[in-house]
Amino acid sequence: MDGNPLTVSSSIISSICSDVAVGVKRGSDELSMYSSSPNSMTANGSDSKKQRLDESPPSRVLHIRKLPNEVTETEVIALGLPFGKVTNILMLKGKNQAFLELGTEEAAITMVNYYTAVTPQVRNTPVFIQYSNHKELKTDSALNQRAQAVLQAVSAVQDGSSPSSDQGVLELAPPPSPVLRIIIDNMFYPVTLDVLQQIFSKFGTVMKIITFTKNNQFQALLQFSDPVNAQQAKLSLDGQNIYNSCCTLRIDFSKLVNLNVKYNNDKSRDYTRPDLPTGDGESTNKDHSLLGTPSGALASYSSGGGYSSSLSLSQGGGAISPLSAAAAAAAAAGRVALSGSGVSGVLLASNLNEEMVTPQSLFTLFGVYGDVQRVKILYNKKDSALIQLSDGNQAQLAMSHLNGQKVFGKVMRVTLSKHQTVALPREGLDDQLLTKDFSGSPLHRFKKPGSKNFQNIFPPSATLHLSNIRDGVGEEDLRRLFSNTGGTVKAFKFFQDRKMALIQMSSVEEAIQALIDLHNYDMGGNHHLKVSFSKSTI
C-alpha cells in the first residue's frame, strides 16, 4: 500500500457488511481537494476542531457536521454500524448536521478514535465527527418518524428480529414479496453472485439468486426466506454503493414470489438445493450476464488469499479489519482464483473503420480496462477484430465501457466472443500484420495485484488524465501535442507538481483518438506520457 493515506468509504462493504473499507491514496484527479499543507489539516477536520474534540468528554452521542445536502438517514447510521449498535438518530438537514447515539460509550470512543485517524466520508464528502454534550438523545417521534423507521429496521437486523411497531414509530408497509429485483448502476467493477449473497445475507437467510443482463444492465433476482428480511434489505441497501463511488444498488420488490433455479453455478444458485447440477455455463447463459469470479472464489476473497479478515468485524472488541479498496477492486476485477474458471476473455469488436484500425490502436484502447494479450483483425472481414484480455472479468469491463463508443468516426460494437483464445498465425502466413501478440508488453496497466490503476478505471470521457510529464514541458507544448491528433483542446489544468495534468477535448470521440495516439508517447529522457480517462471536468 506504500504508506498511502486511508479514506473511509460509505459503501456497503464498510457500512452494511459490518466492516470499514478504506481506500488507497486518491487518484490524481481528486488530489486538488486535499492539497492543503499536511500541517494545517488532520484526518477529522482542522487542528482547532481537533482541540475542541479533545476537550469534549466522551459520550455515546456523536455530533456529525458538514454532511452533504441530500444525505439519507441510512448513510449516517452506516457510519456507526461497524462500531456497534446504533440506538438513536436525529437529522438536522437544514444545518447539514446529525446526532448519532450508539449503544455504549465504548463504541462511541472506538468510532471517534478511528475517524480521528481516517477521514470519515459520506458520498465522497469529508465530514466531521465529535462527541456531543448530550449524554443521550431524546427525540420527538412525531417529528423524527422517517429516521426512527430506518433505525428500527436496521436495529432489527442487528438484533436478528423483525421490526416492531412501537407507539409513535412509523408503521412499515407490509412487504409485497420475499424476492428483490436488483439493478447495478455505475458498474466499474464486476459484481459476483457470491458478493451479492454476502451483502444481502446480513439481513436474513438468502435462499436463491439469479443473475442476468437486461437492457445492457447487470441485474439480479434475490429471494429471502421471509418478506420482512427483503423489506429490511431494500430499506438499508437501496442507493448504496458496493465499492467506493461505484456499483450502486437500485432495489425494488419483484412481482415474483418464488424463484425457479435449475442450476447452481456462477449465474444462479439455490442455497436450499446443493444437489442441483452446474449445467453447461456456456450454453445456459446466452444473456451474457456479467461473469464474476467463479464459484468458490470467495473463499480466497474472505479467508486468506492475500486479503485476510477483509470482510469481517471482530466480535467483541470492536476492532476493525479494514479492506483496502485496491484489494477489493483487484479481487472484484478477477485477480483472485480465476485460474481454471473456463471463462473466456475474448471480445469481438465490429463496425470498425478498417482504413484506420490497427492491432496497436485496439491494444491501447482496450488496455485502459484490462491487460490485452492478443489482437486479431479478421482477414475476410477487416471491420471486425478479436481482442483477448487476461480474463473474463477484464473482458466484461472493457465491453461495458467501450460498446457503443465512436472510434475513428464509426460506432464500435463490442460483444463476448465464443472463442476461448486468439490463435496466432503460423510463421510467414500473416503478411498483412493483422494479428499481434501483446502478452509480453510492458504497457499492461493491471499486472500488479492491488495496483492503484484499479481505482482509476472510468468510462470514456472528454477529459483525459495525463501523468509522467517530463520536467520543462509546459501547457502550450501539451496543447499543441493533443491538437495534432485532430481534435480541439477546450481546457487544460496542471496539478501542483506539474507531472500530472487534466486536458479536456471537445468530445469523447476526440479524447479516445488522443488516448490511442498519445498513450506511451515518448517525451524524451525516458519519459513516456501516460494517458487515461478522467471522471473530472475542468
Side-chain angles (χ1 to χ4, degrees):
M1 292 275 289
D2 301 326
N4 294 328
L6 302 177
T7 60
V8 172
S9 162
S10 60
S11 64
I12 294 165
I13 285 185
S14 62
S15 61
I16 304 301
C17 288
S18 294
D19 65 90
V20 173
V22 298
V24 295
K25 183 166 65 179
R26 300 188 157 269
S28 49
D29 292 346
E30 299 172 283
L31 289 177
S32 54
M33 64 184 287
Y34 290 92
S35 59
S36 306
S37 74
N39 295 326
S40 65
M41 291 289 288
T42 66
N44 190 9
S46 69
D47 278 343
S48 61
K49 289 172 188 169
K50 189 172 187 299
Q51 287 167 3
R52 288 205 302 274
L53 177 70
D54 293 340
E55 292 165 3
S56 304
S59 165
R60 64 191 184 98
V61 179
L62 300 177
H63 185 198
I64 305 171
R65 297 189 286 114
K66 297 188 177 180
L67 289 164
N69 288 331
E70 300 303 318
V71 68
T72 65
E73 290 85 354
T74 305
E75 289 170 306
V76 176
I77 292 170
L79 285 170
L81 275 181
F83 303 92
K85 186 175 177 65
V86 177
T87 52
N88 209 346
I89 181 174
L90 175 63
M91 300 290 289
L92 304 175
K93 289 199 172 181
K95 296 183 176 181
N96 299 91
Q97 298 180 19
F99 289 92
L100 196 67
E101 180 185 277
L102 276 75
T104 65
E105 193 173 285
E106 289 74 21
I109 292 171
T110 302
M111 179 173 169
V112 169
N113 288 344
Y114 183 82
Y115 286 138
T116 299
V118 177
T119 305
Q121 294 206 5
V122 176
R123 298 194 180 197
N124 290 324
T125 302
V127 299
F128 180 70
I129 299 175
Q130 67 187 111
Y131 297 118
S132 167
N133 293 327
H134 301 284
K135 291 301 179 186
E136 63 177 319
L137 279 182
K138 295 180 180 178
T139 52
D140 184 333
S141 294
L143 298 176
N144 202 29
Q145 279 188 336
R146 175 178 163 77
Q148 290 298 316
V150 175
L151 184 66
Q152 185 187 17
V154 174
S155 297
V157 175
Q158 289 180 323
D159 295 339
S161 61
S162 298
S164 61
S165 52
D166 296 335
Q167 187 175 5
V169 175
L170 184 66
E171 285 262 10
L172 298 174
S177 168
V179 179
L180 296 176
R181 184 177 69 117
I182 304 157
I183 297 174
I184 311 288
D185 286 339
N186 202 19
M187 190 158 167
F188 288 167
Y189 304 116
V191 174
T192 69
L193 182 149
D194 286 317
V195 168
L196 290 175
Q197 193 273 340
Q198 189 160 6
I199 291 168
F200 282 83
S201 64
K202 301 295 176 182
F203 296 86
T205 302
V206 174
M207 298 178 69
K208 304 171 186 178
I209 307 177
I210 298 172
T211 63
F212 55 95
T213 295
K214 184 177 180 182
N215 300 328
N216 260 349
Q217 282 187 308
F218 178 70
Q219 301 189 25
L221 294 170
L222 184 145
Q223 181 177 341
F224 280 99
S225 58
D226 189 327
V228 172
N229 299 138
Q231 183 181 49
Q232 293 164 357
K234 179 182 184 303
L235 188 63
S236 293
L237 298 181
D238 187 28
Q240 294 280 344
N241 295 326
I242 297 178
Y243 298 109
N244 293 340
S245 309
C246 68
C247 299
T248 307
L249 290 166
R250 304 291 176 207
I251 303 173
D252 291 306
F253 288 106
S254 170
K255 293 176 182 176
L256 301 171
V257 293
N258 186 50
L259 297 179
N260 181 23
V261 176
K262 296 179 180 178
Y263 303 107
N264 282 339
N265 54 31
D266 297 331
K267 305 297 169 296
S268 61
R269 198 79 54 84
D270 185 338
Y271 295 95
T272 68
R273 294 278 313 278
D275 57 309
L276 287 178
T278 58
D280 182 348
E282 192 68 24
S283 62
T284 57
N285 295 295
K286 293 178 181 175
D287 56 35
H288 295 312
S289 55
L290 271 155
L291 308 170
T293 48
S295 177
L298 200 63
S300 302
Y301 188 38
S302 60
S303 58
Y307 312 108
S308 58
S309 304
S310 59
L311 293 177
S312 64
L313 176 67
S314 70
Q315 294 299 316
I320 292 170
S321 303
L323 168 67
S324 88
R335 312 306 293 183
V336 178
L338 266 170
S339 58
S341 66
V343 174
S344 169
V346 180
L347 296 173
L348 173 66
S350 57
N351 200 41
L352 303 171
N353 184 333
E354 58 186 88
E355 302 297 323
M356 300 287 292
V357 72
T358 64
Q360 183 67 45
S361 63
L362 293 173
F363 166 77
T364 302
L365 179 57
F366 281 77
V368 173
Y369 302 106
D371 292 339
V372 176
Q373 304 298 308
R374 294 176 181 175
V375 178
K376 181 186 190 75
I377 296 174
L378 303 186
Y379 183 82
N380 294 321
K381 193 171 173 34
K382 292 188 174 62
D383 69 344
S384 299
L386 294 172
I387 300 105
Q388 180 181 336
L389 291 102
S390 290
D391 57 56
N393 292 293
Q394 291 184 2
Q396 291 284 353
L397 202 58
M399 181 178 72
S400 66
H401 286 309
L402 294 177
N403 181 41
Q405 294 292 343
K406 206 169 184 181
V407 182
F408 299 125
K410 298 185 73 173
V411 176
M412 178 173 65
R413 297 297 172 202
V414 183
T415 58
L416 289 171
S417 169
K418 295 176 182 176
H419 295 280
Q420 295 295 309
T421 60
V422 171
L424 293 174
R426 283 180 295 184
E427 192 172 348
L429 293 184
D430 187 15
D431 56 349
Q432 298 182 36
L433 302 178
L434 298 177
T435 305
K436 189 161 183 182
D437 185 358
F438 295 98
S439 57
S441 173
L443 300 183
H444 288 158
R445 297 179 189 240
F446 307 104
K447 279 190 297 190
K448 184 180 176 183
S451 164
K452 66 179 180 181
N453 289 333
F454 284 107
Q455 297 303 299
N456 294 313
I457 297 175
F458 303 113
S461 62
T463 306
L464 296 169
H465 177 264
L466 316 181
S467 60
N468 205 35
I469 299 170
R470 184 182 177 183
D471 289 343
V473 174
E475 177 177 338
E476 283 309 311
D477 300 316
L478 291 166
R479 280 179 174 268
R480 192 179 310 113
L481 182 64
F482 278 76
S483 296
N484 288 340
T485 63
T488 303
V489 176
K490 304 289 286 184
F492 181 91
K493 184 179 79 174
F494 262 123
F495 287 98
Q496 197 167 9
D497 61 4
R498 297 182 71 85
K499 292 179 181 176
M500 295 187 290
L502 295 178
I503 191 163
Q504 187 172 328
M505 309 301 288
S506 62
S507 69
V508 175
E509 183 186 2
E510 287 185 5
I512 289 174
Q513 179 71 61
L515 183 142
I516 288 172
D517 289 349
L518 295 175
H519 177 61
N520 201 47
Y521 177 80
D522 188 354
M523 306 186 77
N526 203 27
H527 276 73
H528 287 78
L529 186 66
K530 305 302 179 191
V531 185
S532 57
F533 297 114
S534 171
K535 68 176 181 179
S536 303
T537 54
I538 304 174

